[in-house]
Amino acid sequence: MATKILEVNNFSYSYGRIKAVDDISFYVEEGEIVTLIGGNGAGKTTTLRAISGLIRGGQSGQILFKGQDITHLSAHKITGLGIAQCLEGRQVFSHLTVKENLQMGAFLRKDQNKIKKDYEYVYGLFPRLKERDNQLAGTLSGGEQQMLAVGRGIMMDPKILMMDEPSLGLAPIVVNSIFEIIRQINADGRTILLVEQNSNAALSVAHRGYVVETGHIVMSDTAENLRKSEEVKKAYLGLE
Ligand SMILES: Nc1ncnc2c1ncn2[C@@H]1O[C@H](COP(=O)(O)OP(=O)(O)OP(=O)(O)O)[C@@H](O)[C@H]1O
Ligand SMILES: [Mg+2]
C-alpha cells in the first residue's frame, strides 16, 4: 500500500489580515510527483514555505510528515526530518563556487560515501555544472543557476524534494530539459512536490495535480485527467 509521506489537512495561512491560503487539503504519496498549479497569487509559494517552516505565525490546520505533526516546527527541524525546498528564484549563494553551493546542500549529512555518489549523480544530471564546478555561482547563467538550485536540493538527500517554479524565466528548450530531469530524479526514487505556473509542463511529468486558485484548491485529479479537462485547458494551459 502506498504511504502518504506528506499530508496537508484543512490548512490556512494568513499574513496579518490577508488570507493567502484558505483551507486547503492535499497529500503526496511516497514515490509520486505531485504538482500544485495555478496563477499569480494563488498561494502556491506560501504553501511550500509553510511546509518548509520558512514562514510561521499565520498558520492553522495541520501539516503531517510521515504522520508527525510539523505544523509548528522550525525550518531547521523540518530540514533535519528530510524535507528540502529548492531555493526559490535561483537564490544560489552567488559568492560561492558551484561545488561549494552543492556542499552547502550536504551540510547536515555525515554519510561521506553516499555524499560522494550524490555529487557524481548531480554532475551526471547536469554536466554543465561539472564543467563549472569552480566557477562562482553568481556568474552562472539563469538556467545554470536553476540547475544548481535543483542540484543543491538533491545534495540534501531529502525524503521529499519541493520545487517552486523551476522553469521560471527559462528559455523553452531549457524548460524541457529541466522537466526531463525532474522526471529522471523521480524515476531514481525521489518523491517530489512541484509548484508551477507552467501547468502544461508540470502536468506532463506529474502523477497527480491540484489546481489552486486564490487560496483554494478548486480541482484535483490525475495529471492525465487534468490535462484533458476543458476547464483546466481554458484557464491554465492557455489553450482554447
Ligand atoms: N510576506 C507577505 N506578506 C503579505 N502578503 C503576502 C506575503 N507573501 C505573499 N503574500 C500574498 O499572499 C498571496 C499568495 O502569494 P503566493 O506567493 O503564495 O502566491 P503564488 O501562488 O506563489 O503566486 P506566483 O505564481 O505569482 O508565485 C498573494 O496575494 C500575496 O500578495
Ligand atoms: Mg510563487
Side-chain angles (χ1 to χ4, degrees):
M1 206 185 75
T3 319
K4 283 181 186 157
I5 188 164
L6 182 73
E7 273 181 272
V8 174
N9 297 326
N10 303 108
F11 185 78
S12 302
Y13 197 94
S14 301
Y15 299 100
R17 280 180 296 124
I18 299 169
K19 201 165 205 178
V21 172
D22 191 2
D23 196 26
I24 63 166
S25 298
F26 67 94
Y27 65 90
V28 181
E29 288 181 351
E30 221 152 19
E32 279 191 309
I33 301 181
V34 169
T35 184
L36 305 181
I37 57 176
N40 288 127
K44 307 178 301 295
T45 296
T46 300
T47 302
L48 281 201
R49 291 175 68 82
I51 296 169
S52 300
L54 294 171
I55 47 172
R56 282 290 176 253
Q59 70 272 43
S60 68
Q62 200 180 41
I63 303 173
L64 300 176
F65 176 66
K66 293 186 160 187
Q68 178 185 348
D69 191 337
I70 62 164
T71 322
H72 300 279
L73 286 189
S74 67
H76 179 72
K77 289 223 168 89
I78 287 173
T79 306
L81 289 174
I83 300 179
Q85 183 172 347
C86 290
L87 293 176
E88 256 178 283
R90 314 173 198 154
Q91 290 165 359
V92 292
F93 298 101
S94 53
H95 56 290
L96 298 180
T97 65
V98 166
K99 177 131 206 215
E100 287 163 345
N101 268 273
L102 294 178
Q103 281 165 348
M104 294 290 285
F107 188 63
L108 287 174
R109 296 174 60 187
K110 298 194 169 60
D111 47 343
Q112 293 304 330
N113 288 338
K114 177 81 178 7
I115 291 175
K116 246 188 216 152
K117 275 194 191 138
D118 285 349
Y119 278 125
E120 272 155 36
Y121 178 73
V122 168
Y123 284 147
L125 289 176
F126 303 111
R128 270 175 186 245
L129 293 184
K130 185 170 189 179
E131 291 161 18
R132 291 163 172 75
D133 75 336
N134 275 319
Q135 188 172 326
L136 289 182
T139 65
L140 294 172
S141 78
E144 290 162 357
Q145 290 187 29
Q146 200 69 276
M147 293 173 197
L148 183 56
V150 174
R152 183 182 169 280
I154 293 173
M155 289 309 297
M156 296 168 82
D157 192 26
K159 306 272 188 307
I160 182 168
L161 183 58
M162 305 198 294
M163 302 184 191
D164 194 354
E165 304 209 39
S167 75
L168 193 69
L170 300 183
I173 190 157
V174 189
V175 169
N176 289 341
S177 60
I178 279 275
F179 281 98
E180 257 327 297
I181 281 173
I182 291 170
R183 199 200 297 271
Q184 181 64 50
I185 296 168
N186 174 252
D188 293 333
R190 293 181 193 281
T191 307
I192 293 171
L193 177 58
L194 173 66
V195 157
E196 264 296 342
Q197 277 201 45
N198 188 341
S199 345
N200 211 0
L203 290 173
S204 71
V205 297
H207 299 99
R208 291 187 301 110
Y210 296 84
V211 179
V212 192
E213 211 173 82
T214 53
H216 303 277
I217 287 174
V218 293
M219 254 192 270
S220 75
D221 209 330
T222 61
E224 198 186 342
N225 284 344
L226 287 177
R227 276 184 97 182
K228 282 191 284 197
S229 147
E230 290 304 318
E231 240 173 298
V232 174
K233 268 190 203 165
K234 266 201 194 133
Y236 304 100
L237 304 182
L239 307 166
E240 277 306 318

